[in-house]
Structures are given as C-alpha cells and as structure tokens.
C-alpha cells in the first residue's frame, strides 16, 4: 500500500476531528446546552453590534468552554472504560476534570457579563 501524502493525512485527520466534534454534540447533554448558549451569545453579538475585540474575547471564551468540555467528556469516557466499577481514585479524576469545565465556564460567564451588561443597561 502506497504511503499517504502529507495533505491526504491532514485531510483525514480533519475528518476524524469533525467526526469527534459531531459525536460530542450528538451524545452529550451538557455540550448541547453549551452550544445553545454559544448560539444565543453569537446572536447577541450581532444584535448589540459588539466590537472586534469583544468578538475575539467571546469567540475565545466559547471555544475554550467547548474544548474543555470535550476533554472532560474524553476523560470521563476513558475513566469509565478503564474502571467501569466505582473507584474513589477515578471519581477524583473525573471531579477534577468537571471542575476544569466549571472554572472555564465561570470565566466565560464573566466575559459575557463584561461585554453585555453595559449594552443592556
């Protein structure tokens, strides 16, 4: 079998990544809520005509929350695969992973408040 070219390999990698993103959105309730919030915030950005800097911060915050949620889901799925039975150490790992999502979500919420509260009031 001939070796894949660099471009073919990159295209295939993007395909796997898109498949993973779609699986995440289709199968995880928390990411569905976060995607909905991201769409609402994006609509809010157009409605309030936010600045380029505000768009950058908003897109960064949304991307960070969704990305960390994806990593959290991967950690949880891997932990459940490795140890299907309850294990205190696995629970600790999963709690830390969920805590990371919470911290990033709090930061994203603060960014949203900084951007939108002055525009609303």
């Amino acid at each position: 079998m001939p070796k894949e070219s660099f471009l073919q390999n990159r295209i295939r990698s993007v395909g796997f990544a898109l498949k993973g993103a779609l699986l995440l959105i289709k199968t995880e309730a928390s990411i569905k809520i976060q995607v909905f919030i991201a769409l609402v915030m994006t609509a809010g950005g157009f409605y309030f005509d936010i600045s380029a800097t505000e768009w950058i911060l908003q897109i960064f915050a949304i991307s960070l929350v969704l990305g960390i949620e994806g990593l959290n889901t991967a950690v949880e799925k891997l932990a459940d695969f490795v140890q299907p039975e309850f294990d205190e150490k696995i629970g600790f790992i999963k709690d830390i992973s969920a805590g990371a999502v919470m911290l990033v979500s709090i930061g994203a919420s603060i960014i949203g408040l900084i951007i939108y509260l002055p525009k609303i009031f």
Side-chain angles (χ1 to χ4, degrees):
M1 182 168 162
K3 186 178 177 191
E4 255 184 3
S5 73
F6 176 79
L7 183 60
Q8 288 172 323
N9 185 272
R10 295 298 93 215
I11 290 170
R12 197 152 56 120
S13 294
V14 169
F16 291 139
L18 287 172
K19 177 183 175 186
L22 290 173
L23 281 171
L24 184 64
I25 292 167
K26 284 182 182 180
T27 62
E28 296 300 314
S30 57
I31 200 89
K32 289 176 185 176
I33 293 166
Q34 292 163 343
V35 167
F36 175 76
I37 292 168
L39 292 172
V40 169
M41 298 310 294
T42 300
F46 287 112
Y47 180 80
F48 288 108
D49 194 29
I50 63 177
S51 71
T53 302
E54 291 167 330
W55 273 114
I56 290 167
L57 290 170
Q58 180 169 297
I59 290 167
F60 180 73
I62 289 169
S63 300
L64 194 59
V65 169
L66 296 177
I68 296 296
E69 181 63 48
L71 288 174
N72 176 54
T73 299
V75 166
E76 289 181 352
K77 298 290 184 193
L78 182 59
D80 290 343
F81 178 77
V82 170
Q83 180 55 273
E85 303 299 320
F86 175 78
D87 183 290
E88 194 173 307
K89 291 177 183 177
I90 293 291
F92 180 78
I93 292 165
K94 291 167 78 172
D95 289 347
I96 289 172
S97 184
V101 175
M102 184 190 73
L103 292 173
V104 171
S105 296
I106 290 169
S109 297
I110 292 169
I111 289 170
L113 291 171
I114 291 169
I115 292 171
Y116 292 105
L117 280 181
K119 294 172 181 357
I120 294 170
F121 296 109

